[in-house]
Amino acid sequence: MPEPITVQATVFRGDNGNRVAIEPLQLAPPLAGEVRIRVRAAGVCGSDRHVLEGEWQVPLPAVMGHEAAGVVDAVGAGVQDLAVGDHVIVAWNQACQRCAECMSGKPWACMRVKSNDSLLPDGTTRWSAEGERAYPYLAVGALSEAIVVPEFAAIKIDQRVPFDVASLIGCSVGTAFGAVVNNARVLAGESAVVVGAGGVGMSVIAALQLAGAHPIIAVDVNEEKLEQARAAGATDALLGGDNVVERVAALTGGGADVAFEAIGRSQTMAQLPLFVRPGGRAIYVGLPREGDLVQLDGLELAYGGKTIIGSNYGALVPQRDFPRIAGAYLSGALKIDSLITHRIGLDGVNGAFDRMRRGEGTRSVILFDE
């Protein structure tokens, strides 16, 4: 059997505040049905920040990151659809592929998935540090020179798609696309509101533009982000405040057809249904901290016939949706490059999280040398 390899990886141990360290880890070779990927680009996502801030609990030590794109460089026994040299995007929701939810086209709803416990489908990991098991966050551990995942979690894509763009399709862009297309089923000409103009919110705006929504109204408390939202395709940009619901109603003739919350804050999640007209849809895309409760006006929801939709990974079917998103990018219909404001090396990862905390930029992507 091939020997483990040593890789530089971003490790969170929980004993140094909210900082991560770059450490050498041992990565075991892929087992049957698995592939090893040399990571070429990895996004720095808000979900990782939730872990560093102690808002979400994961097993430690954790190999951080879950937005990865790269090149297959080793395959385990029985791998049929991937070969060394293939370009792939990694799906972090590694569903079981066998349950009723998976078989009905809803892998995001799989109740047997072990990804949330930072385990591969067999309940183990391929990582260790001096004999101690390490846990790849969401079963990916993207902020590393190489990773091992099941074959079905590595989706082959057109080699014309740049790795930095491809990495974002694996989570932020994919989640946003799915929220618009799979969850909300937005139709051309429908009016839309996006609350939060960070990485996911900007991706929602891009997906709404692709779907033909109009108008597309961005809401944020940061003027700089609102300017970026306009550049990304928002037709209107509103500074959050006491009268923002009324301003949206004025722009849409009584409320938007659909609204998206892309932050994950209980206050804005509670406000979201107020942005939509009777019969409208309110989509929760942003993820709050564990145990965060949202208070809603039940009578207003029922009387207005409004629908609340929780979006888990954009209801993505990665084997179907990743190539579709990549194709939309290659056609020029889906603008993804503009979402990347910082391209950095692995040693800049703590700075990327600091920028995220300060609300600076849209998306940082770690680039790895060939």
Side-chain angles (χ1 to χ4, degrees):
M1 173 178 284
E3 294 294 320
I5 62 172
T6 299
V7 297
Q8 296 296 312
T10 302
V11 180
F12 178 63
R13 295 183 176 274
D15 56 2
N16 189 25
N18 56 19
R19 316 304 282 176
V20 296
I22 310 303
E23 299 183 15
L25 295 182
Q26 287 71 55
L27 181 63
L31 299 182
E34 297 176 347
V35 298
R36 188 174 69 206
I37 300 164
R38 286 288 175 177
V39 179
R40 296 290 301 280
V44 181
C45 181
S47 296
D48 301 287
R49 186 193 61 78
H50 278 298
V51 174
L52 303 190
E53 303 298 331
E55 297 174 352
W56 295 354
Q57 302 303 311
V58 301
L60 302 176
V63 186
M64 295 308 302
H66 60 283
E67 290 184 333
V71 180
V72 174
D73 84 331
V75 299
V79 169
Q80 297 180 354
D81 297 326
L82 292 175
V84 172
D86 284 343
H87 290 204
V88 294
I89 302 172
V90 177
W92 60 259
N93 185 57
Q94 298 171 14
C96 76
Q97 311 291 302
R98 299 184 303 276
C99 68
E101 288 76 19
C102 288
M103 297 305 292
S104 62
K106 298 185 291 184
W108 55 271
C110 177
M111 291 184 286
R112 299 177 184 174
V113 66
K114 293 183 172 62
S115 304
N116 292 329
D117 298 319
S118 299
L119 297 172
L120 294 173
D122 67 358
T124 68
T125 87
R126 303 290 166 264
W127 299 87
S128 62
E130 298 180 351
E132 175 190 22
R133 176 188 283 191
Y135 297 87
Y137 179 50
L138 292 177
V140 179
L143 300 177
S144 168
E145 293 175 326
I147 60 178
V148 170
V149 299
E151 177 188 14
F152 64 78
I155 313 303
K156 185 176 178 179
I157 56 162
D158 192 308
Q159 295 195 7
R160 293 175 295 168
V161 180
F163 287 112
D164 52 358
V165 166
S167 69
L168 300 188
I169 293 174
C171 184
S172 59
V173 169
T175 295
F177 176 91
V180 170
V181 174
N182 298 331
N183 293 126
R185 300 181 182 271
V186 173
L187 300 175
E190 286 196 304
S191 55
V193 174
V194 181
V195 180
V200 174
M202 296 282 280
S203 299
V204 171
I205 290 169
L208 285 167
Q209 189 177 43
L210 178 66
H214 185 85
I216 302 171
I217 304 166
V219 177
D220 204 287
V221 296
N222 185 311
E223 288 277 17
E224 181 181 353
K225 287 188 176 295
L226 289 176
E227 287 300 319
Q228 294 170 350
R230 288 188 184 95
T235 58
D236 301 270
L238 303 179
L239 198 63
D242 293 338
N243 66 342
V244 68
V245 171
E246 290 76 15
R247 294 170 69 191
V248 167
L251 286 169
T252 58
D257 294 300
V258 61
F260 300 82
E261 202 276 356
I263 307 171
R265 292 179 181 164
S266 56
Q267 298 91 335
T268 46
M269 294 174 78
Q271 186 186 45
L272 193 69
L274 302 179
F275 287 114
V276 302
R277 67 199 313 114
R281 295 101 72 202
I283 318 299
Y284 292 147
V285 186
L287 299 177
R289 70 183 66 192
E290 293 177 5
D292 208 1
L293 301 181
V294 178
Q295 187 171 356
L296 300 172
D297 185 334
L299 179 61
E300 195 272 339
L301 284 176
Y303 191 75
K306 299 178 182 181
T307 301
I308 301 290
I309 301 175
S311 179
N312 179 8
Y313 205 15
L316 289 173
V317 179
Q319 290 85 350
R320 176 195 69 196
D321 291 327
F322 285 2
R324 291 169 64 190
I325 299 169
Y329 166 79
L330 289 173
S331 74
L334 185 63
K335 311 296 184 184
I336 300 178
D337 301 271
S338 61
L339 302 175
I340 304 171
T341 52
H342 297 83
R343 292 174 173 84
I344 57 178
L346 192 60
D347 57 357
V349 64
N350 279 309
F353 284 118
D354 287 339
R355 283 191 297 275
M356 187 184 297
R357 296 180 183 105
R358 295 192 298 266
E360 297 174 4
T362 300
R363 205 56 156 194
S364 295
V365 175
I366 306 292
L367 300 179
F368 296 84
D369 295 333
E370 294 188 33

